[in-house]
Amino acid sequence: MPLDKFGQLWATARTAVEREIGESSFQSWIEPMELVDVNQGVASFSVPTEFIGSYVSRNFDDKIIHCLRSLEPSVVRIAFCVRSTAAPTAPKVQPEVAPSDTSKQSRQWRERFTFENFVVGKSNQLAYSAARRVAEAGPLPFNPLFLYGGSGLGKTHLMKAIVCEVEKNHPHLNVMYLDAQEYMIQFIQSIRNKDTLAFKKLFRSADMLIVDDVQFLAGKDTTQEEFFHLFNALIDQGKQIVMSSDKSPGEIERLENRIVSRLQSGLVADVHPTDYELRLGILQSKVERMRMTMPDLQIEHKVLEFIAHRISTNVRALEGALYRIQAHYSLIRRPITMDIARDALIDFVRAADKRVNVEDILRKVTDHYNIRMSDMVGPRRHRSIARPRQIAMYLCKELTSKSYPEIGRAFGGRDHTTVMHGIKQVTKLLETDNDIQQDVKMLMRALEE
Ligand code: ADP
Ligand code: MG
């Protein structure tokens, strides 16, 4: 299997694992795993710490095997190796399990998470520019740089891109990247091994320290304390620190005030949810890169628009959708049409459906056309009312999983054939009428943001 395949296989399998075990366990345990090899029935994962590997194999072993097997039937067992990203010089905090695939795996992310592969839009412009600036490793522009925003919006990507860039252009600098959980586990290990001095020395030797997901330190008082000292020591020496979190410093509960105010003392850049245009841009760029591995994969532009509309703001979910389509394609070997895409993405789309409900649609459409709700669901048949009503019906069909009769009921008890007719009208008009196209596009966007 080529390298890229593992990423794709795992991206699809892990969505299924998430459904099985729930989001919060997923975030803690499965998220950090990366599939690095599948060989003779054994799927090997790299994990940041031995602890995660052993916890996962104790708790989620069978679920993971099950989800992998539905895509790659040869898998019978999973195995773990610990990856080392932050401790190249300290034997005491090196992983305990031989990381057979570490170099391959880290090469992989170094190719993938670059600034070149990051698509910039309004929502991530500030974070991107700040990260680029830090990566120049010139005179400190702001210290620390604190990136925050929801899951899957590219924080880790940007941080790893900084690492790539600094390693490439300033190889003498000691840039360390790790996530806060890994930091804590290594700290605790050093206490257990009575070796905190080496631990402190190791991290204080960083020229640039990049710590991902610092919200994890909330409530971990001893680790927080140690991190605070490290933070101060590095800042005082003029070393750049970059941190990320899913919350702003002030919103992280159980984080000491003095730490909060130090975190806020540099540049706090938030990454906003992606908007439709950015999603489309990211999809296009990913499809282009996929072409390299699958030369004749054809995806209609309409399909990408469909994904950008229907799938949430999380870029990880967008990628999952593309991988799913790609997997479909490799089975049927025909250009991907809308119907195929709909089939391939049926559960993704169902999950997205939950976010838009009929009431929202009715409200948005009545506002947009400046008509009354009582007219929308009432009997009037004048075109100035009937057309918006049909558009609202169309949106209900597109954006929710409601059936024709259910939609009919929401529109003042109309018959399902009336609904079908209305939707057909709009579908037809969308092919010819520019105004309607614009309206529908705008309403869809407004409803999905
Ligand atoms: P976060 O750390 O904020 O949860 P990640 O950095 O892990 O998010 O991003 C999730 C996935 O989405 C990664 O595969 C990343 O490469 C991709 N991604 C996120 N934002 C972008 C973007 N603007 N351009 C290209 N890929 C992106
Ligand atoms: Mg992240």
Side-chain angles (χ1 to χ4, degrees):
M1 245 191 233
L3 278 186
D4 209 21
K5 264 279 175 63
F6 301 137
Q8 291 167 17
L9 171 63
W10 181 228
T12 311
R14 61 187 226 149
T15 348
V17 174
E18 180 170 12
R19 268 199 298 278
E20 296 257 349
I21 70 168
E23 198 198 9
S24 80
S25 298
F26 177 85
Q27 288 291 344
S28 312
W29 305 108
I30 310 298
E31 178 77 57
M33 296 171 44
E34 293 191 34
L35 183 61
V36 291
D37 199 8
V38 177
N39 194 1
Q40 302 194 325
V42 183
S44 306
F45 290 92
S46 81
V47 283
T49 63
E50 195 199 2
F51 175 59
I52 292 189
S54 66
Y55 186 94
V56 170
S57 74
R58 264 181 289 129
N59 292 280
F60 307 124
D61 189 276
D62 49 356
K63 296 201 171 66
I64 294 172
I65 293 175
H66 175 77
C67 295
L68 279 171
R69 284 188 73 141
S70 66
L71 302 158
E72 180 54 61
S74 68
V75 173
V76 289
R77 197 160 69 74
I78 56 177
F80 296 91
C81 60
V82 176
R83 60 174 171 262
S84 155
T85 48
T89 50
K92 281 284 159 48
V93 288
Q94 279 284 17
E96 295 165 19
V97 182
S100 56
D101 270 313
T102 303
S103 61
K104 187 164 85 187
Q105 189 261 331
S106 91
R107 201 171 58 234
Q108 232 172 324
W109 77 247
R110 277 171 173 70
E111 281 161 22
R112 190 169 152 210
F113 299 114
T114 57
F115 285 121
E116 288 69 38
N117 290 342
F118 191 85
V119 185
V120 186
K122 272 203 309 279
S123 55
N124 57 24
Q125 172 75 57
L126 175 65
Y128 171 82
S129 310
R132 275 231 102 123
R133 181 56 113 52
V134 164
E136 288 168 11
L140 294 191
F142 21 71
N143 208 8
L145 167 60
F146 192 97
L147 302 174
Y148 81 92
S151 166
L153 299 182
K155 301 181 297 294
T156 298
H157 187 136
L158 285 174
M159 294 176 116
K160 289 183 169 171
I162 297 176
V163 178
C164 299
E165 202 69 11
V166 175
E167 281 177 350
K168 194 167 73 197
N169 301 329
H170 306 274
H172 61 286
L173 290 180
N174 182 9
V175 44
M176 286 186 182
Y177 166 89
L178 81 170
D179 66 42
Q181 184 173 10
E182 200 173 335
Y183 176 82
M184 182 186 88
I185 289 169
Q186 294 203 7
F187 176 54
I188 289 171
Q189 229 166 56
S190 79
I191 296 178
R192 207 175 53 212
N193 299 340
K194 301 194 174 45
D195 203 11
T196 49
L197 230 69
F199 173 87
K200 289 182 190 184
K201 210 168 137 211
L202 168 72
F203 285 99
R204 279 166 181 65
S205 73
D207 293 309
M208 193 181 281
L209 178 68
I210 305 185
V211 186
D212 210 346
D213 291 320
V214 295
Q215 76 276 357
F216 181 81
L217 295 180
K220 319 284 190 318
D221 294 343
T222 323
T223 311
Q224 232 180 78
E225 177 78 23
E226 175 53 32
F227 183 67
F228 182 63
H229 292 309
L230 167 65
F231 181 92
N232 285 333
L234 290 176
I235 297 252
D236 289 349
Q237 291 173 52
K239 310 291 191 192
Q240 179 77 55
I241 296 181
V242 182
M243 278 171 287
S244 82
S245 160
D246 62 359
K247 300 182 186 69
S248 72
E251 286 166 346
I252 307 178
E253 280 168 31
R254 300 210 288 154
L255 193 64
E256 282 185 56
N257 280 338
R258 56 181 183 156
I259 301 187
V260 172
S261 70
R262 279 228 88 160
L263 295 185
Q264 286 166 333
S265 63
L267 177 70
V268 178
D270 55 344
V271 192
H272 297 278
T274 55
D275 57 22
Y276 171 78
E277 279 88 358
L278 180 58
R279 288 202 290 279
L280 196 56
I282 291 173
L283 285 167
Q284 277 160 348
S285 123
K286 301 227 180 260
V287 168
E288 268 165 36
R289 288 202 292 127
M290 279 178 168
R291 288 243 161 88
M292 298 198 287
T293 50
M294 293 194 80
D296 48 356
L297 173 62
Q298 286 184 40
I299 298 189
E300 284 181 39
H301 187 71
K302 259 188 10 218
V303 172
L304 297 187
E305 287 186 331
F306 168 75
I307 304 175
H309 264 308
R310 303 290 289 272
I311 292 184
S312 72
T313 64
N314 182 327
V315 181
R316 200 171 289 125
L318 286 182
E319 287 178 343
L322 274 185
Y323 289 142
R324 179 81 68 91
I325 286 193
Q326 196 181 26
H328 239 71
Y329 175 79
S330 66
L331 294 175
I332 59 164
R333 294 262 155 212
R334 267 187 285 126
I336 301 291
T337 61
M338 276 304 283
D339 284 343
I340 298 172
R342 263 184 230 272
D343 272 1
L345 299 178
I346 195 131
D347 352 328
F348 273 93
V349 170
R350 277 208 194 105
D353 277 352
K354 290 193 202 104
R355 298 177 310 115
V356 180
N357 62 43
V358 174
E359 289 68 41
D360 292 339
I361 295 175
L362 289 174
R363 204 167 337 104
K364 272 272 171 350
V365 176
T366 48
D367 281 356
H368 182 80
Y369 290 102
N370 207 7
I371 61 176
R372 282 196 299 265
M373 186 65 88
S374 56
D375 279 339
M376 179 63 101
V377 300
R380 287 183 59 189
R381 297 171 73 164
H382 189 272
R383 180 125 155 224
S384 63
I385 307 286
R387 188 69 83 220
R389 190 186 290 137
Q390 289 176 334
I391 289 177
M393 288 173 176
Y394 173 86
L395 291 171
C396 289
K397 192 68 201 162
E398 283 291 302
L399 302 180
T400 75
S401 45
K402 295 267 183 284
S403 63
Y404 293 120
E406 283 169 327
I407 297 175
R409 279 196 288 281
F411 285 77
R414 286 182 154 75
D415 190 68
H416 74 278
T417 53
T418 312
V419 177
M420 285 166 74
H421 171 75
I423 292 172
K424 219 185 203 160
Q425 288 294 101
V426 176
T427 313
K428 236 197 269 156
L429 282 169
L430 279 173
E431 282 166 17
T432 53
D433 187 324
N434 262 329
D435 292 342
I436 299 232
Q437 269 171 19
Q438 289 305 321
D439 283 1
V440 167
K441 226 180 204 165
M442 221 188 80
L443 285 163
M444 277 201 171
R445 258 177 242 183
L447 283 161
E448 290 187 320
E449 257 143 36

